[in-house]
Amino acid sequence: MWRDLLPIGRHEATGGYRRHAWTAADAECRAWFAEQARGRGLRYEVDRNGNQWAWLGDPAAGDAVVTGSHLDSVPDGGAYDGPLGVVSAFAALDALRDAGVSPRRPLAVVNFAEEEGSRFGVACAGSRLMTGALAPESARSLRDADGFVMADAMEGAGIDPSALGRDDERLARIGVYVELHVEQGRCLADIPHAVGVASAIWPHGRWRFDFRGEANHAGTTRLEDRRDPMLGYAAAVLAARESAARAGGLATFGRVRVEPNGTNAIASLVSAWLDCRAPDSAVVDALVEEIAEASEGAEVTRESFTPVVTFDGTLRDRLVGVLGGVPVLPTGAGHDAGILAAAVPTAMLFVRNPTGVSHSPYEHAEERDCLTGASALATVLADLLGAASATSPPPG
C-alpha cells in the first residue's frame, strides 16, 4: 500500500508532496482509497461533504468503530502526515481479518477531505462540514490562490456542493473514532516507546492580515512619499515572534501574497496569514491582539479557530491500558480527530518521529515504528470492536 501511494503528487524538484484538495493528485489519492476498499470487499461510499468511507459490516447498525485520517498535504509536505493513518487503518483491518477476528460492531476506514486547508484556507474542511463547525455557504464560497471557488472544484470532482452541511445521520453511525498519526514533534524521539496516546490539542486558528498601501515605482518614489504595506507586514512578522516567545505560544506567518508582486514596484496590497497556537484560548486571543496592534492598521480577519480539545478521558485511559502503559502527550497540531471530538468519543495514537520535522519533505518515521503503530492500532480496534478471535489476537 505504501509503495503504491508514495509517488502520487510528489514534486520531482523538492521531493515534497503537493496533494491539494480537489486537484489531479488528490483525485489519484482518492482513487487509491476506493481501490483499497473495493479490493477488500468493503462497502465504499462518499458522503455529502466529500469524505470517503470503507465499511466492514452494516453502517446502519450504528455504534461503529471508525479509524483513518487524510490523504491531502500542505505545499511540499511530507509523506507521513495523513497517509500513515489511512494506510495503517487498512493494515490494521487486514490484521484483524488474518487473526480470524469477528467484530461485534461495524468498522469503517475514512479519508477526510481537505484536512490541511492548503488550497482553500480552512483546515479540516471535510470534518468541519460533517459536524456543522463550518457553514456550507461559507465553504462553497472559499477561493484558492488562483481564484477558483471551492464549490466549482468539488463539483468538478463529482461532489454536489449544494448538499454540503452537517450530517447527523452519519454522525449517529459513529460510536468512536480513533486516528493514528505521525507525531509532529519530538516527545517520543528519545524514549523507548514507538507509540503514544494523545491527551489534548492546543487551541489554534488562522487569521488573514491585509496591509493596504499604494503601488508606485521602486526607483523613482522618494521614501517619504511611499505608502509601502511591506513595512506593516514586516512589523507583524517580528511582533509575532516576540509576542509568542513572551507568552509561551506559537505564532507563524507562513503564507503571504503580494500585489502587484513586481521586483521594481512598491506593493499596493500585502495579504499574510497568521497561524497562532497556545496552551489556552486566552493566550491565543491576547497574542493575535498584540500582533494586530503592532501591524500598523492591518485589517484582520479570522478565517478559522478551534478551541482546546481534550480527548475523551475514559477512551484515552482505555487505549493506554490496552497498549500496556504507553506515554500520554499533548500536541499543538490540529487534526480531524479534534473536530470530531465535539460530536463523538475520540482518541489519537502517535507514531514516533525521530527528528520531529513535519510539514516538510524531510518528515520521516522508521519502518519498524510504523509497523508497531499499525499493530497497536489493530490491538486497539480489536478491543473496541468487542471482537472474538478464531485464532489469536492481533499482535500488540
Side-chain angles (χ1 to χ4, degrees), residues 327-350:
V328 177
L329 51 144
T331 179
H335 302 280
D336 291 306
I339 305 301
L340 264 67
V344 299
T346 304
M348 289 194 73
L349 299 177
F350 290 127

Side-chain angles (χ1 to χ4, degrees), residues 264-354:
N264 59 350
I266 300 165
S268 60
L269 173 66
V270 177
S271 295
W273 282 262
L274 172 71
D275 179 298
C276 193
R277 307 166 191 242
D280 64 69
S281 296
V283 175
V284 173
D285 292 341
L287 267 175
V288 174
E289 183 176 353
E290 192 171 322
I291 296 164
E293 288 177 356
S295 299
E296 300 184 10
E299 299 170 16
V300 182
T301 304
R302 189 176 81 173
E303 293 193 338
S304 67
F305 181 75
T306 303
V308 63
V309 174
T310 302
F311 290 111
D312 186 278
T314 301
L315 180 59
R316 177 198 63 220
D317 293 345
R318 181 173 179 175
L319 266 59
V320 170
V322 167
L323 296 176
V326 297
V328 177
L329 51 144
T331 179
H335 302 280
D336 291 306
I339 305 301
L340 264 67
V344 299
T346 304
M348 289 194 73
L349 299 177
F350 290 127
V351 173
R352 181 163 50 202
N353 179 336

Side-chain angles (χ1 to χ4, degrees), residues 119-121 139-150 255:
R119 182 174 181 190
F120 292 102
R140 284 190 285 266
S141 63
L142 292 171
R143 292 182 180 272
D144 67 10
D146 295 318
F148 289 108
V149 179
M150 185 167 169
R255 176 184 168 204

Side-chain angles (χ1 to χ4, degrees), residues 124-389:
C124 301
S127 55
R128 286 183 190 272
L129 282 164
M130 188 178 79
T131 59
L134 174 61
E137 58 272 17
S138 297
R140 284 190 285 266
S141 63
L142 292 171
R143 292 182 180 272
D144 67 10
D146 295 318
F148 289 108
V149 179
M150 185 167 169
D152 294 340
M154 294 185 76
E155 189 170 26
I159 308 299
D160 179 7
S162 68
L164 298 181
R166 182 177 170 91
D167 194 338
D168 288 310
E169 180 181 355
R170 187 162 299 273
L171 288 170
R173 295 178 177 180
I174 304 172
V176 63
Y177 175 65
V178 178
E179 180 172 353
L180 179 145
H181 205 280
V182 67
E183 186 192 1
Q184 294 171 289
R186 285 185 44 82
C187 290
L188 295 171
D190 300 317
I191 60 177
H193 290 277
V195 175
V197 173
S199 59
I201 298 176
W202 278 13
H204 56 280
R206 297 179 181 188
W207 288 260
R208 189 183 77 245
F209 282 57
D210 290 320
F211 304 85
R212 300 188 184 278
E214 182 179 62
N216 216 326
H217 198 296
T220 61
T221 309
R222 298 184 306 172
L223 293 179
E224 59 267 33
D225 292 337
R226 298 183 180 204
R227 292 178 52 214
D228 187 351
M230 276 291 186
L231 299 179
Y233 169 59
V237 172
L238 294 175
R241 178 58 179 261
E242 293 166 0
S243 298
R246 285 195 300 269
L250 299 168
T252 308
F253 281 102
R255 176 184 168 204
V256 61
R257 185 176 66 211
V258 180
E259 297 178 13
N261 204 30
T263 303
N264 59 350
I266 300 165
S268 60
L269 173 66
V270 177
S271 295
W273 282 262
L274 172 71
D275 179 298
C276 193
R277 307 166 191 242
D280 64 69
S281 296
V283 175
V284 173
D285 292 341
L287 267 175
V288 174
E289 183 176 353
E290 192 171 322
I291 296 164
E293 288 177 356
S295 299
E296 300 184 10
E299 299 170 16
V300 182
T301 304
R302 189 176 81 173
E303 293 193 338
S304 67
F305 181 75
T306 303
V308 63
V309 174
T310 302
F311 290 111
D312 186 278
T314 301
L315 180 59
R316 177 198 63 220
D317 293 345
R318 181 173 179 175
L319 266 59
V320 170
V322 167
L323 296 176
V326 297
V328 177
L329 51 144
T331 179
H335 302 280
D336 291 306
I339 305 301
L340 264 67
V344 299
T346 304
M348 289 194 73
L349 299 177
F350 290 127
V351 173
R352 181 163 50 202
N353 179 336
T355 64
V357 173
S358 188
H359 284 188
S360 159
Y362 299 104
E363 179 182 85
H364 180 68
E366 295 292 338
E367 182 177 333
R368 62 179 180 275
D369 290 343
C370 295
L371 293 171
T372 300
S375 179
L377 180 60
T379 300
V380 165
L381 296 180
D383 179 70
L384 294 173
L385 289 165
S389 174

Side-chain angles (χ1 to χ4, degrees), residues 3-69:
R3 284 193 300 270
D4 289 344
L5 191 59
L6 208 56
I8 300 174
R10 189 176 189 188
H11 193 266
E12 290 185 4
T14 66
Y17 287 87
R18 300 181 181 182
R19 297 167 172 164
H20 306 315
W22 315 119
T23 61
D26 184 51
E28 284 191 67
C29 288
R30 292 172 66 85
W32 173 90
F33 184 95
E35 181 182 349
Q36 297 302 318
R38 291 168 177 148
R40 288 170 171 78
L42 305 176
R43 174 175 172 174
Y44 170 73
E45 59 183 2
V46 180
D47 69 22
R48 60 193 289 185
N49 295 303
N51 307 307
Q52 294 178 289
W53 299 79
W55 289 92
L56 177 65
D58 181 9
D63 199 31
V65 176
V66 179
T67 186
S69 191

